[in-house]
Amino acid sequence: MVQKIKVQCPAKINLDLKILGKRPDGFHNIESIMQTISLYDYLTISVAPSADLSIKLSGTSSEIPYDEKNIVYKAVKLFFETIGQTAAVEIFIEKNIPVSAGMAGGSTDAAGAIFGLNEILNKPLKHAELHELCAKLGSDLNFCLEGGCKKTTSRGEMLEEAEFVERRVSLIKPVKLGISAKEAYTKFAQKEKTAEHENFINDLEWAVIDSYPALQRIKGKYPQAVMTGSGSTYFAFDTEFSPLEGYWIKNNLKTIPTGISIA
């Protein structure tokens, strides 16, 4: 018998982001207030009995791999290894969160896969155990699972409640520019701190903006806009971005108090 569930996976923005230093494991210690917003990927997850574990991914985006390189694939594999079961799993990813955009698109989908599988299989793992799996897979998954507004520390997986305020938020991103976290953190390590650094709410924006005229154009037109994560998306509250050739724009979203949920 095939069981099916649809999961809603929200994007996140970093209201601020400070890098405190490199860790022995290669990650960086950070402090950041993260906030989920009303932009969602959707996962349709099907599970059928099988003597072996098989994982089949498909979706709407031509920019992501649908094989073992995808973090959703890794999440499914880790989940079934943890519970000691097998199944035939199919996941369709409706991708609305841009790729390499600083909005945790991959992380939220992976957290959504873990959450959805746990729901379908009658919760073999407790909530704290879901968080353990999330922490093994990446830095943003724990936050995406919970959502709302949280202060995140360590490499981003440690969460504390922060004050949630519902606000209107808009996004703007150069269509042809994606920035990986690795690139942004490398640029941060290479850049010499000056007084200008203090003008930036996001340390990674300071690290990458000089390299990309497309980001400078956003900042020039909307000085109040802030880059989220490692970029290349900017957000602003209570603002509508005007159409701009070469830029993806999403106006009139809102901050939300929730994370991963059943759609």
Side-chain angles (χ1 to χ4, degrees):
M1 180 181 161
V2 178
Q3 295 172 284
K4 191 177 276 195
I5 195 171
K6 189 171 183 180
V7 179
Q8 180 172 272
C9 308
K12 66 87 180 159
I13 55 174
N14 297 76
L15 304 187
D16 62 12
L17 176 57
K18 296 297 167 196
I19 299 168
L20 307 180
K22 199 160 188 179
R23 299 155 49 101
D25 60 8
F27 288 95
H28 287 77
N29 283 315
I30 67 163
E31 272 186 11
S32 179
I33 304 291
M34 295 187 189
Q35 172 64 62
T36 41
I37 59 173
S38 60
L39 174 66
Y40 307 99
D41 285 351
Y42 293 93
L43 305 186
T44 303
I45 304 172
S46 302
V47 177
S50 172
D52 302 299
L53 177 62
S54 67
I55 305 167
K56 184 179 176 185
L57 305 182
S58 59
T60 58
S61 173
S62 59
E63 296 182 73
I64 60 172
Y66 293 104
D67 57 20
E68 65 278 357
K69 295 188 195 77
N70 193 307
I71 192 171
V72 171
Y73 188 103
K74 294 172 185 174
V76 175
K77 191 164 180 283
L78 180 61
F79 179 86
F80 279 97
E81 285 172 355
T82 302
I83 65 170
Q85 295 181 27
T86 58
V89 181
E90 293 189 15
I91 300 182
F92 182 83
I93 304 168
E94 182 191 320
K95 201 93 188 85
N96 299 307
I97 303 168
V99 176
S100 296
M103 292 193 285
S107 296
T108 195
D109 292 351
I114 289 169
F115 173 86
L117 289 169
N118 202 52
E119 291 291 316
I120 282 181
L121 298 174
N122 298 315
K123 299 186 178 175
L125 298 180
K126 297 183 177 71
H127 198 66
E129 292 173 307
L130 299 185
H131 272 291
E132 287 173 18
L133 296 194
C134 285
K136 287 179 182 177
L137 286 162
S139 300
D140 292 335
L141 279 78
N142 298 81
F143 170 72
C144 293
L145 184 65
E146 293 298 321
C149 189
K150 302 280 190 293
K151 179 183 178 183
T152 66
T153 52
S154 188
R155 59 184 171 84
E157 83 283 12
M158 304 297 290
L159 311 178
E160 295 174 45
E161 285 294 335
E163 185 185 2
F164 170 74
V165 179
E166 185 172 310
R167 299 186 70 178
R168 197 162 54 87
V169 61
S170 294
L171 307 172
I172 183 169
K173 176 194 176 297
V175 171
K176 294 183 177 175
L177 177 61
I179 303 174
S180 71
K182 184 180 179 183
E183 178 189 347
Y185 278 98
T186 299
K187 280 187 160 63
F188 177 83
Q190 292 169 344
K191 199 165 179 182
E192 193 174 326
K193 286 187 181 177
T194 62
E196 174 212 30
H197 172 247
E198 301 303 318
N199 298 329
F200 287 86
I201 292 171
N202 177 349
D203 279 352
L204 294 180
E205 180 183 353
W206 167 80
V208 302
I209 193 166
D210 290 346
S211 302
Y212 295 108
L215 302 186
Q216 295 163 25
R217 190 176 181 193
I218 295 171
K219 201 70 171 178
K221 195 171 171 63
Y222 300 102
Q224 80 280 23
V226 175
M227 195 180 86
T228 177
S230 55
S232 56
T233 307
Y234 277 70
F235 69 90
F237 291 119
D238 305 318
T239 297
E240 281 195 30
F241 295 124
S242 302
L244 198 58
E245 190 175 346
Y247 289 79
W248 172 88
I249 289 168
K250 205 84 174 168
N251 287 320
N252 295 314
L253 299 170
K254 64 179 182 177
T255 57
I256 59 170
T258 52
I260 306 293
S261 61
I262 297 170

